[in-house]
Amino acid sequence: MDGFRREIVGSWAQDKHKRLRHYIDISSAARRKFEGNSSYIELYCGPGRSRIKDQPTLIEGSAVAAGLEGLRRAPFGHLHIGDLDSINTDACRARLAQQQITNVSTYAGRAEETVATIVRGLSKSALHLAFLDPYSIEALPFTVIRRLATVPRMDVLIHVSLMDLQRNVKQLMRSGALSHFAPGWEAHIDTRLRNDQLVLAVFSHWRMLLRELGLKVSDNVERVTGRKNQPLYWLVLAGFHPLANQFWDEVSNTEPQARLPLG
Ligand SMILES: C[S@@+](CC[C@H](N)C(=O)[O-])C[C@H]1O[C@@H](n2cnc3c(N)ncnc32)[C@H](O)[C@@H]1O
């Protein structure tokens, strides 16, 4: 116990971190070429440590896992970590410091605001990896990604909450919240589709928006399911780095049932 807040997470969080660490590992040779001119960015970092639900097991949060993975072979020149809640950013910074990772800046606030501050301070010649891991669709406005994509050499690994989309897609459409996540959906999606078709149509439109920003979006979308095989989230890699998608293909679980019927 270090006195800081911990999150309670499903066991699948370990899976998410495994993929993040693997991506950081296989992109380390590319990062090394930048000789420390690189950054890791998280806008929804959480407190940096979690306990698995119904288990005593503690795991590092994604920012700490990423920082440690970087240290192993090619450390990030700087880490930028943000969260809505300053208790989380303070806790995450402290947990990084416990691991001797101190090249860290923290930002408390909504991602759409912190992203602007972070991007203003980024080196245009550096290699960047951003990990976006919100709980909900509403917390991931497209403006966040658009802002990140203005930076050359930015790879973005995005957690899209499939569970939220499946449960709430119609409500998100009615309330207008979907327009923040996937602007312009109204012109592309027939609202009379079945719920599961709506979800895929929204996802497909969102991926097209990423491509319109000039990002290469991996076709290899990870669809992660829970213990009862319930759909949880998609992990999507979008980037400028020519090797980003190749790396992601290596990380991805390409078992047939994990692949999506993407349009
Ligand atoms: C899934 S948790 C992050 C977990 C973390 N990435 C990990 O794996 O250890 C999502 C975090 O997003 C934060 N959050 C929610 N809405 C936000 C927003 N609009 N902007 C920034 N952070 C937000 C929450 O406080 C929460 O800590």
Side-chain angles (χ1 to χ4, degrees):
M1 293 278 278
D2 60 5
F4 291 102
R5 175 189 284 174
R6 291 193 302 233
E7 261 195 289
I8 307 290
V9 295
S11 56
W12 48 268
Q14 291 169 292
D15 220 42
K16 179 174 68 178
H17 294 169
K18 190 171 89 187
R19 290 179 166 95
L20 173 66
R21 284 199 311 268
H22 192 172
Y23 186 77
I24 291 171
D25 175 32
I26 56 180
S27 54
S28 58
R31 201 163 49 255
R32 211 172 299 118
K33 289 195 191 125
F34 284 78
E35 299 176 338
N37 192 18
S38 61
S39 79
Y40 176 79
I41 301 156
E42 265 210 57
L43 306 176
Y44 313 81
C45 67
R49 187 165 299 160
S50 308
R51 184 170 66 73
I52 306 287
K53 193 169 178 226
D54 302 326
Q55 292 180 28
T57 317
L58 296 180
I59 61 168
E60 304 296 0
S62 49
V64 178
L68 284 172
E69 189 60 43
L71 278 190
R72 273 191 342 110
R73 293 182 57 201
F76 293 101
H78 203 83
L79 282 80
H80 300 271
I81 53 167
D83 195 283
L84 191 58
D85 189 339
S86 63
I87 294 179
N88 286 343
T89 49
D90 289 349
C92 196
R93 181 205 280 275
R95 264 99 186 220
L96 284 160
Q98 287 166 12
Q99 305 292 343
Q100 274 68 55
I101 300 170
T102 52
N103 47 343
V104 177
S105 301
T106 57
Y107 309 81
R110 293 157 65 83
E112 55 264 54
E113 286 146 20
T114 57
V115 71
T117 313
I118 294 172
V119 161
R120 265 199 300 276
L122 292 179
S123 159
K124 297 272 184 288
S125 61
L127 187 65
H128 307 284
L129 172 64
F131 179 47
L132 304 181
D133 184 24
Y135 285 124
S136 66
I137 293 295
E138 264 194 274
L140 184 57
F142 199 73
T143 49
V144 169
I145 303 169
R146 185 176 287 135
R147 197 63 184 245
L148 288 170
T150 61
V151 182
R153 298 187 198 82
M154 173 70 72
D155 292 332
V156 194
L157 183 57
I158 313 167
H159 170 167
V160 179
S161 177
L162 175 54
M163 195 161 58
D164 186 23
L165 208 48
Q166 285 209 328
R167 283 189 188 155
N168 303 315
V169 65
K170 289 188 178 158
Q171 168 57 21
L172 289 164
M173 284 175 162
R174 277 195 298 270
S175 70
L178 195 69
S179 300
H180 296 294
F181 172 72
W185 68 267
E186 298 91 336
H188 296 270
I189 299 173
D190 180 349
T191 51
R192 292 164 301 181
L193 289 172
R194 281 200 326 259
N195 199 78
D196 57 327
Q197 293 170 324
L198 279 179
V199 168
L200 282 181
V202 168
F203 190 51
S204 171
H205 173 64
W206 179 80
R207 293 170 75 247
M208 187 200 72
L209 293 174
L210 294 177
R211 285 195 294 270
E212 283 178 0
L213 294 177
L215 295 165
K216 293 183 184 60
V217 186
S218 176
D219 284 333
N220 221 340
V221 174
E222 295 255 28
R223 182 177 184 273
V224 180
T225 51
R227 260 185 295 175
K228 295 178 190 143
N229 211 28
Q230 74 278 29
L232 292 173
Y233 61 89
W234 284 308
L235 266 184
V236 180
L237 181 79
F240 288 102
H241 195 287
L243 290 178
N245 281 305
Q246 190 182 316
F247 291 156
W248 187 241
D249 283 349
E250 272 186 55
V251 173
S252 293
N253 170 5
T254 50
E255 288 166 28
Q257 70 271 22
R259 302 301 298 271
L260 275 174
L262 295 171

